[in-house]
Amino acid sequence: MAEEEHSSGTWHNSEQSDLTSTSSYRRRPSLTSHDDSAESAGPGHILRPGSPQPRMSSDSGGISSGSKWRDTSTALSDSQEIPPSNPEIVETTFDENVLRVLCDMDCGVPLLLDRIKQSMVSCREASVFFKKRALIEEEYGKTLQKLARSTSEVYSMNDGKAGTFVTAWQNSMKIHEVLGDNRIRFSQHLNEMSEELANIAKEVDKNRKSTKELATRYERALSESESFTEKCKNRLEVTTEELERLLLQKEGESFKDNTVQTRAGTTGGKRVIGKAVAKGGLLLKGKNPGNIQRQEDDVRSRMSAASDAFRKAVIDTQAMRQEYFNFQLPRILRALKECSDEIDLGTQYHLTRYAFLFESILLNDGSALVPPKDEGGHSVGLKIAMEAIDNRGDFRTYMQNYAYAHSVSPTKGPRREGPSDEGFLPPLSSRNSDKPPTSSSATHVNGSNSSDKGRPTFGIDLGEQMARDDVDIPPIMRRCCEAIEKYGINSQGIYRLSGTTSKVAKLKQLLDKDLEAVNLDVHEWSSDINNVTSVLKMWLRELPEPLMTFSLQQGFIEAAKIENDRLRHIRLHERVNDLPDPNYATLKYLLGHLHRINQHASENSMTNQNLAIVFGPTLFGQSAPTAGPSSSIADAPYQNQAIETILNFYTDIFVDDSE
């Protein structure tokens, strides 16, 4: 029979009593009750045919399947009953509150399915980004390595400069190879993360589809069971109406009696009379009592079978609904939520790992450019390698080698010495030595203007400059400071901002060629005073010995480390007094200029602290030749502290009461 065929594919019946409400098979049970007893329904109680149909996950794009619930490997076992308080249904590590809310929602399954779709899109986008970024990094790293190696090989084959330059050049190429290798390793990590994210998205999509298919099967089976129950109810109604008609016929009452018409009105106008006439038309032919009795027995037998089928269908549907909402639906929602959490956490993990690797590669690049102190002396940074170039020493070596190489072979140029009968003159040095001293003096006086133009300003010892020019303050410092105070004392970030590289180089060349001929009041220099400040700082940096001197440098550092302000001021005052006279006079003039700059800090934002940060490394220069390059980095904060303290107590240190 149809009843037996349908019931064989449904869940096992739970231990439930007769139904007391015909609408109970459409009631959604609570999540917490697993063993609620079903309510009984008698044959005369009719289920509401207008009850809403349950929502199916296939409405949101699910995959349909004709198999029953137990056709999948994730279906329940054949146990008869689910324990009502099984703690393993939801693990303690899972967010049970979220699961309860999802179970109480009518849209829990499509909600999670759509959320997983969004997470997969985000995961795939991150995977694609990592893949493209890996290609960029790999191409950059390989190109950089190839460039460094080819450049190193080409230079070794060409006739380039030797000495310290070639050493620095080769070291810089090695640093570029290290930078390229870092990028290649970074691209490998990016490829790994891209593949892992793609695998996560693929696996989650597979689990999502299988769980969605399982949910669709469960909901379809429940819907089919409810439809079958509705059919059983209709069959029972028709059989009951037929029995009532027979009983009326047996008692001799007419179908057109008012009683029958009144009852037909109370049943809501359902197809009572029409069905009775259609299905029991033979009863209208004759009134044989025996025939009527046989028909009554047959109808009663069919009504009993229909009542049993309807009761069984209601019990099966109620049991199926209880098991679905109390057990299967939480399992489905939990599986979907775990998929959502897996892809969300996996995506977040790889994004966090990407950020960490990105920071690490930048730190590795920085370590290659500026090696840490604890790596030993074998690692050379790019800046240190370039600063190690000694052009003067290389030129002296080249000059010696060149002269030696050409001394063994006769020169093709004119001869310097020869017999007088061939027209050779005596050496110029002998002729100059025979001249009276007055001639030499006259020549010096007459050519003083032209000789001044050839006096260099940059890279000359401070004492030699001031003795040569017979001045108390270096002329370049006086002229630059006067122009800066005239045109830039209120300029925002004065001394902190750098000038244009080409303009600074041009001004340096002009000042080094003919200091007196340069007019800093012209628009070319006064319009951008940062060019003048950059030249002044460059002049201080290019002094052979820094303004604070190598010999007193450590004394200034030790004094700056003193925490007591008053004692630090006294010790620094003593170190300033120990400076040579040219250095002391120059420092006094410079710090007086900076003191006036600081008085306009409200406009130019250059406080004593900011000025100290700019001039600390400039006035102290690099570390003493005996110290390593790492010591200057460690001493930089104390250099700034020393300059800041001297600026703060400028009046006490330099200005006498008489002034």
Side-chain angles (χ1 to χ4, degrees), residues 40 44 56 63 119 180 184 256 275 292 306 309 324 377 417 434 457 476 486 648:
S40 60
M56 299 181 62
I63 301 176
S119 299
I184 293 176
K256 297 181 180 180
K275 291 182 179 179
I292 293 176
Y324 173 72
E417 298 177 356
D434 295 338
T457 305
I476 186 174
K486 184 176 180 180
N648 290 334

Side-chain angles (χ1 to χ4, degrees), residues 230-337:
E230 188 70 20
K231 292 179 182 179
C232 292
K233 182 196 71 171
N234 294 335
R235 188 180 297 111
L236 178 61
E237 288 179 352
V238 171
T239 308
T240 303
E241 292 166 0
E242 186 176 355
L243 178 61
E244 290 178 354
R245 192 199 63 79
L246 273 175
L247 293 177
L248 293 176
Q249 181 70 19
K250 183 177 180 181
E251 294 175 0
E253 296 181 5
S254 173
F255 284 107
K256 297 181 180 180
D257 195 9
N258 293 333
T259 304
V260 177
Q261 294 177 358
T262 302
R263 186 187 179 283
T266 59
T267 58
K270 296 181 181 179
R271 304 172 305 277
V272 177
I273 300 300
K275 291 182 179 179
V277 173
K279 294 183 177 292
L282 295 176
L283 299 177
L284 301 177
K285 298 180 180 180
K287 297 183 179 180
N288 187 345
N291 188 21
I292 293 176
Q293 185 63 38
R294 284 193 301 273
Q295 291 182 3
E296 179 182 353
D297 294 340
D298 179 63
V299 170
R300 287 183 181 276
S301 175
R302 285 190 286 112
M303 187 183 71
S304 177
S307 177
D308 293 340
F310 174 63
R311 181 181 292 105
K312 185 176 182 301
V314 170
I315 293 175
D316 291 346
T317 302
Q318 181 67 5
M320 189 179 297
R321 184 177 294 103
Q322 291 283 346
E323 185 174 353
Y324 173 72
F325 285 107
N326 290 346
F327 185 75
Q328 300 296 347
L329 182 61
R331 284 186 59 185
I332 293 172
L333 293 176
R334 181 177 181 274
L336 292 176
K337 187 63 171 63

Side-chain angles (χ1 to χ4, degrees), residues 569-612:
H569 163 215
I570 295 173
R571 293 292 179 264
L572 288 173
H573 192 170
E574 294 173 353
R575 299 291 82 75
V576 169
N577 291 336
D578 292 338
L579 287 170
D581 292 341
N583 299 62
Y584 180 88
T586 305
L587 181 65
K588 177 181 178 180
Y589 184 86
L590 175 62
L591 295 189
H593 164 69
L594 297 181
H595 179 69
R596 291 186 290 275
I597 293 290
N598 173 252
Q599 291 176 347
H600 296 77
S602 58
E603 291 84 11
N604 56 39
S605 301
M606 294 304 292
T607 61
N608 284 338
Q609 182 180 11
N610 292 337
L611 290 171

Side-chain angles (χ1 to χ4, degrees), residues 462-463 465-466 471-478 481 536 539-540 543 547-548 579-594 619 650 654:
L462 182 62
Q465 289 188 53
M466 298 175 66
V471 293
D472 296 332
I473 303 298
I476 186 174
M477 174 168 288
R478 186 184 298 276
C481 290
L536 179 58
W539 176 79
L540 289 169
L543 290 174
L547 191 61
M548 311 305 281
L579 287 170
D581 292 341
N583 299 62
Y584 180 88
T586 305
L587 181 65
K588 177 181 178 180
Y589 184 86
L590 175 62
L591 295 189
H593 164 69
L594 297 181
L619 298 182
Y650 166 78
F654 292 105

